[in-house]
Amino acid sequence: VTARPLAEFAALVGGDVSGDGSIPISGVAPLETAGPGELSFFANRKYRADFEASRASAVIVGTDERVASGRTVLRSTNPYLAFATISAHFNPPAPVVPGISPQAVIDASARVDPSAQVGPLVSIGPGAVVGARSVLHPGVRLGPGVTVGADCLLHANVVVRERCALGDRVVLQPGVIIGGDGFGFATDLVGVGQGPRHVKVPQVGRVVVEDDVEIGANSCVDRATLGVTRIGRGSKIDNLVQIGHNVEVGRLCIIAGQAGISGSVRLGMGVVVWGQAAVVGHAEIGDLANIAGQSGVTHDLAPGARVAGLPAVAEGDWARSMAALGRLNDMRHQLMELKRQVAQLERQRGEGTT
Amino acid sequence: VTARPLAEFAALVGGDVSGDGSIPISGVAPLETAGPGELSFFANRKYRADFEASRASAVIVGTDERVASGRTVLRSTNPYLAFATISAHFNPPAPVVPGISPQAVIDASARVDPSAQVGPLVSIGPGAVVGARSVLHPGVRLGPGVTVGADCLLHANVVVRERCALGDRVVLQPGVIIGGDGFGFATDLVGVGQGPRHVKVPQVGRVVVEDDVEIGANSCVDRATLGVTRIGRGSKIDNLVQIGHNVEVGRLCIIAGQAGISGSVRLGMGVVVWGQAAVVGHAEIGDLANIAGQSGVTHDLAPGARVAGLPAVAEGDWARSMAALGRLNDMRHQLMELKRQVAQLERQRGEGTT
Amino acid sequence: VTARPLAEFAALVGGDVSGDGSIPISGVAPLETAGPGELSFFANRKYRADFEASRASAVIVGTDERVASGRTVLRSTNPYLAFATISAHFNPPAPVVPGISPQAVIDASARVDPSAQVGPLVSIGPGAVVGARSVLHPGVRLGPGVTVGADCLLHANVVVRERCALGDRVVLQPGVIIGGDGFGFATDLVGVGQGPRHVKVPQVGRVVVEDDVEIGANSCVDRATLGVTRIGRGSKIDNLVQIGHNVEVGRLCIIAGQAGISGSVRLGMGVVVWGQAAVVGHAEIGDLANIAGQSGVTHDLAPGARVAGLPAVAEGDWARSMAALGRLNDMRHQLMELKRQVAQLERQRGEGTT
């Protein structure tokens, strides 16, 4: 990639240069390691010292960021987006190398677009379809009847079980499992001559992953009992996340690492679930709700709700409760002192009235 | 599958038809999408509107469910079990196709039953044994000396490490890891000339998964340090669950998604561990104990105990504590008001007695 | 392995025999199953009955452990380390069998040391390097430019993505993912004609796993956005752990199962993170800090800090708060009683002054 002047990148992202816009930029780098010719990024105030010490030729900052004189910056109303856009310019995705590895095992009834790339030791089952320019890395497993759209990227050892469907531009990080059985068992206390047993409820639905979804390493999306588990268009899911059967994740949701969405939950549009949070089965979560890390949502949430805690309550209430918790021992001592005082008053009263 | 009259299914599950038992039933479907000829299922009151609007020919309900006149239902004392049974009739497991894929890699000393199905790109180590009618999907790895019983189903990319054993009818969803090393390190503060180090304790035991166990996608069961980690007969484990070394899971336990059972824990029979809960190492959990989602069990539990919270306490206590937490700021204000009142009373008392 | 007298093992670990040091020892076994000729281990008082009933010829115990007369013990100041050392004597790692399976798929530009062992169905990308005596089990995937040091052990279905590097003696349990993309998306509320979207920030850094690190089954370490995600020398990570992009784990850390370390966190040396705990993004955690299970760290921690709770506070404070929580209803009743008393005092006062 050849160098281009900073001003061109500012134009690309709709930002403004403060300083010399003609500086040639040939790459992006972190504040600590960036050198001449490199553009860096500063948004988290925690790293101000790194920003001030950085040898980067220019730094992307917010429109109102305080900047020492002599420092060239690219100011943007959305600096993270500006950084993403410019970094993508310097770091385009690996080019697709069309063709099927001779060491892939592809059922005769499967259809793989000639522009797709299928790596070694991939297996593709009967009737599966792989769209244009999609890339399947080594060890990917597509079950019977799976459909993969165009421009998808399936990293190594991804598994997509039978009849599940991926839209276009879907990215699955290594080890993702799409379409494992949902966790559904009916307990039969009587059994059939051998005591109680848990009887499997057939999980014969499927998973639909819509366009522009990305799912992180080793995350799991279970197939529906009947019908469809759906991950809505443009949603992004982090690593080690569990999505239960029959869940409907709306469009543009963000689900952070190790979160768990129980069966039959419906997330509206743009819902944000932070790390290790959980939503109980069958809950309906309104658009743009925000669920704090490690919290446990046990009921429906209204659109725009912001919750935290175990069980989850309004975010501010949880913060106040936790702060109050820290004063609880103080309160207990105050209470004891008051009891003593009141007892004395009562005693005095008694004496006074005799 | 051909259609059969509703009454036959009622007989199959020991239920009663309310309405026309001669209606032909040719499949099962969710309330929202079911149409003529289809049987649906209604148990969660949250979906009453869907039930009432459903175009299903008949619906499985509980014995005391309120039903509009004209709606044909199959009443059952255990509607979920009835649904499981009837759905299994219409959705039998995929037939086993005996044979070994030419692209599987099987050690000469392994024994695979001729009725078993071994997919492409499976690897089976020396001395391993695969029983009758068991199915190994692509990418399954069996280490040396592994034994797989009859009628097992190992989905894609399952790993069973050396010497571990699966009983009959065991189902492992994709990506399950059986027999990874337990997490055991002894800290050596002195070291051997290079400062402190964590010294690995050899993890040379194994895992035994008994009959009728199912384990969810990407869950992990660690091998014992010495001896055996055991998953008891008929237990069902969800996705992304961690089972530590030397754990003994009793019969018929249910462990939901992302729960973690630390090393050397013993779960009794029929224990239920809800999602994201954890049990501390070496705890003994009595039969039929119930551990709420996201709770943390830090000590032994008596049979039948129901616990919740961090650390886990009796379920009702946790609920009351959390409810009280919500009133904590109120309490603090009441306390301040009382202090003011008492101070005034004391002042008045002082004045009154002068 | 031939038997050797107990006294030799005592010398090996710097311990003392109490009893007959000439007893021949031919193996190690758990207290419950050990028999003649076997050495066992007792440290957790919970198992005293097992210790007393054990048929082991000798048992490793702490220096001050109470022991019945007639029981032969090997006393050690660090009994767990002594056990690790002696067990390793009897249970050496499986020997490396040099050579590359004909069913492995290795790019012509990769370099595999002749002393390394590469199993069937392994894939190794262009330019990758595998060091001396390293073992790659079936289904391992090394991306382009990956480097694996000497004496590493990569279990089945491990994935190491492009350009990531492993030091020497690194152990990766089955299903570990090294170098998945970090979770970085910039939200573009305007979009490009199709409404809002989450725009991927290219994750083009890499992961460096230093010498003597072990990582548990199905754990994930994300590559850096730019730069390096680093796991420091000698650290040990359990199963199903999430390590976000740009994290720096210091030397000799311990991270237990299902813990989550968010992006850009720095853990100092010897930090211990217990199971299911989480650390919020960008936090700096001082050397030797100890983070309790299931707790949530939301800010920096000083060296040696011990924290617990949601959000995490000083360990003792959390314990006191939780204990106080259990008395909260009592407090509420006391408060109500006080209010009644004070109201009465005020009424009496009013009467008294009229």
Side-chain angles (χ1 to χ4, degrees), chain C residues 311-322:
Chain C
V313 293
E315 197 175 53
D317 289 350
W318 180 254
R320 273 188 293 276
S321 290
M322 288 298 107

Side-chain angles (χ1 to χ4, degrees), chain C residues 128 144 170 178 236 261 288 319 326 344 352:
Chain C
V170 168
I178 302 292
K236 309 296 182 183
I261 311 296
L288 298 171
Q344 183 175 4

Side-chain angles (χ1 to χ4, degrees), chain B residues 229-247:
Chain B
T229 303
R230 184 177 302 276
I231 310 296
R233 185 162 72 74
S235 285
K236 309 296 181 182
I237 297 176
D238 199 354
N239 296 356
L240 293 166
V241 168
Q242 155 69 354
I243 307 284
H245 50 179
N246 294 81
V247 165

